[in-house]
Amino acid sequence: MTGAATSPASPLARKLAERIARDGPISVADYIEACLQDADDGYYRHKAAIGAGGDFVTAPEISQVFGELIGLWCAVAWQQMGGPPAVRLIELGPGRGTLMADALRAAQRVPAFRAALRVELVESNATLEAAQRLALHDAGVPVVWMRELAPGDGPAIIIANEFLDVLAAEQLVFREGTWRTRCVGLGADGRFAFTDGPVLADAALPDGLPAATEGDIFETRRRAFSDLAGRLSAAGQPLSGLFIDYGHQTSGFGDTLQAVAAHRYADPLLGPGAADLTVQVDFAAFGDAVRACGLASDGPVPQGEFLGRLGGVERASRLMADNPSKAATIEAGIARLMGPTGMGSHFQVIGIRSVDLAPLPALAAVDSEHSAS
Ligand code: SAH
């Protein structure tokens, strides 16, 4: 097929190439948004995505301990709200429904919390919604699905694992003393290629960054984060939430755009819609967006630290003792989630809450813990 280099193969690639040929290069954020959410061919519209037979594996699929500890965390967050008789438990991007199923099973240990629950799942992907319905068919609590976060009344607890990273990120590139929007255009060979877009009159970078040098890239989800934080703060009081993702605690420069398909890294510009496309989550920026909407934030802390404080090792040991034939798998799973050179440090956890609630469990800053001694 000699035409392969010049005529992009998939319908989404053709659609994007036509759009760029007609209107000019599109921003990286618009490119990611199209790849992930295009109504017909976006990655997150239909792909099964998660699990051994999909493209990537997530924490709840690695160990049941993850969802169980989060379920108990939610029960404590509910108690900190004064134990209201009705509470919305909202999960953003619930994947295969595994986290929620494990959380609800663990919550059986706090019957008044379970009795108060109404579960709301926010999911854009019809294939994953079907998996969630299967995983939760005998959940024993009311469960409803929605395509996007809807405003609602009353106390709410939000959980979101690997959801922030599906929100499209803008890349800015520093050239000759000014910031420009990084774009995707068409190269001379007809393939997609990165290109510098328009100069930004006001790049509005956060304080505390080092001086930029030629070619530095800054990644920002400013628009997506403030939209989400606005929805969350409008969703009714009191509110507590837990966001977990691959990312960094402080803002900095660097190109972290990556595509993953079938458990391997892929070229982000090849096969749009066929791979998961992400940039790392900037937790400092998410915290800023949340606080700008009148909420408080706790953390971020590394995932290993968070799970450790919730008793992850102890819970895994109990499971191993109860299931000796699966002990090695259980041990490997918890080590993968908590290990300081892997997910334990590469993933961060941040809590958000109404300002009048007490700080959330297991999310106090690491420094303050040391300063107490
Ligand atoms: N939390 C799950 C899945 C993470 S993958 C886990 O830990 O296994 C991201 C999830 O967000 C998927 O369920 C995906 O379909 C969903 N998603 C992606 N874009 C979305 C959007 N715009 N609105 C709602 N859900 C979305």
Side-chain angles (χ1 to χ4, degrees):
M1 279 266 300
T2 50
T6 48
S7 60
S10 73
L12 182 56
R14 275 198 296 276
K15 194 167 164 178
L16 283 170
E18 278 164 23
R19 178 174 161 191
I20 292 168
R22 188 183 61 233
D23 302 334
I26 59 175
S27 69
V28 166
D30 285 349
Y31 177 79
I32 296 176
E33 182 70 17
C35 290
L36 298 184
Q37 309 290 353
D38 179 84
D40 300 316
D41 300 304
Y43 180 81
Y44 276 121
R45 288 302 164 137
H46 308 289
K47 288 273 275 184
I50 303 152
D55 295 308
F56 56 94
V57 173
T58 57
E61 306 296 329
I62 291 171
S63 172
Q64 70 185 73
V65 172
F66 188 79
E68 289 172 350
L69 294 179
I70 289 176
L72 295 174
W73 183 95
C74 290
V76 179
W78 170 77
Q79 281 160 349
Q80 289 184 337
M81 288 174 173
V87 64
R88 305 162 68 203
L89 177 57
I90 303 170
E91 186 176 0
L92 307 178
R96 304 181 52 78
T98 310
L99 192 167
M100 185 56 76
D102 292 339
L104 292 175
R105 192 179 59 255
Q108 283 169 353
R109 288 169 55 186
V110 191
F113 170 57
R114 237 183 97 96
L117 283 177
R118 171 193 154 95
V119 172
E120 300 181 17
L121 300 179
V122 181
E123 177 57 73
S124 63
N125 180 323
T127 306
L128 288 176
E129 181 183 323
Q132 293 154 21
R133 287 186 185 276
L134 207 61
L136 296 168
H137 75 279
D138 58 357
V141 300
V143 184
V144 295
W145 276 264
M146 51 198 65
R147 289 283 142 125
E148 50 181 50
L149 185 62
D153 268 340
I157 299 173
I158 318 277
I159 49 183
N161 184 53
E162 294 211 45
F163 176 77
L164 294 177
D165 73 56
V166 308
L167 305 176
E170 201 73 80
Q171 284 189 323
L172 315 184
V173 58
F174 195 70
R175 294 273 184 235
E176 294 167 357
T178 56
W179 287 99
R180 291 171 174 270
T181 304
R182 196 176 192 219
C183 288
V184 175
L186 290 171
D189 58 0
R191 291 175 188 249
F192 296 117
F194 290 110
T195 163
D196 294 348
V199 170
L200 287 160
D202 177 15
L205 265 52
D207 295 336
L209 289 171
T213 56
E214 182 69 13
D216 271 342
I217 287 182
F218 182 71
E219 298 174 334
T220 172
R221 291 185 167 91
R222 183 192 308 275
R223 261 183 304 157
F225 282 172
S226 52
D227 176 63
L228 176 61
R231 284 168 191 250
L232 291 170
S233 60
Q237 305 284 336
L239 173 90
S240 296
L242 194 60
F243 289 81
I244 306 169
D245 228 300
Y246 186 62
H248 40 91
Q249 297 199 356
T250 51
S251 304
F253 299 136
D255 176 9
T256 70
L257 181 65
Q258 71 174 32
V260 170
H263 305 274
R264 304 176 75 122
Y265 292 113
D267 182 336
L269 299 185
L270 279 183
D276 186 29
L277 213 53
T278 62
V279 314
Q280 286 190 20
V281 171
D282 178 344
F283 279 82
F286 184 63
D288 285 346
V290 161
R291 289 188 300 276
C293 287
L295 297 167
S297 66
D298 298 311
V301 301
Q303 174 171 294
E305 185 90 31
F306 175 74
L307 296 177
R309 291 177 186 184
L310 292 177
V313 174
E314 294 78 2
R315 173 66 190 133
S317 304
R318 264 295 288 283
L319 267 182
M320 288 161 69
D322 293 347
N323 303 277
S325 66
K326 297 193 187 131
T329 314
I330 296 166
E331 187 173 22
I334 197 76
R336 194 163 161 201
L337 296 187
M338 294 181 64
T341 55
M343 293 176 82
S345 67
H346 296 160
F347 279 70
Q348 315 296 328
V349 186
I350 193 169
I352 68 167
R353 62 180 159 87
S354 316
V355 282
D356 49 352
L357 291 174
L360 292 162
L363 288 171
V366 179
D367 280 342
S368 63
E369 200 178 56
H370 293 312
S371 63
S373 58

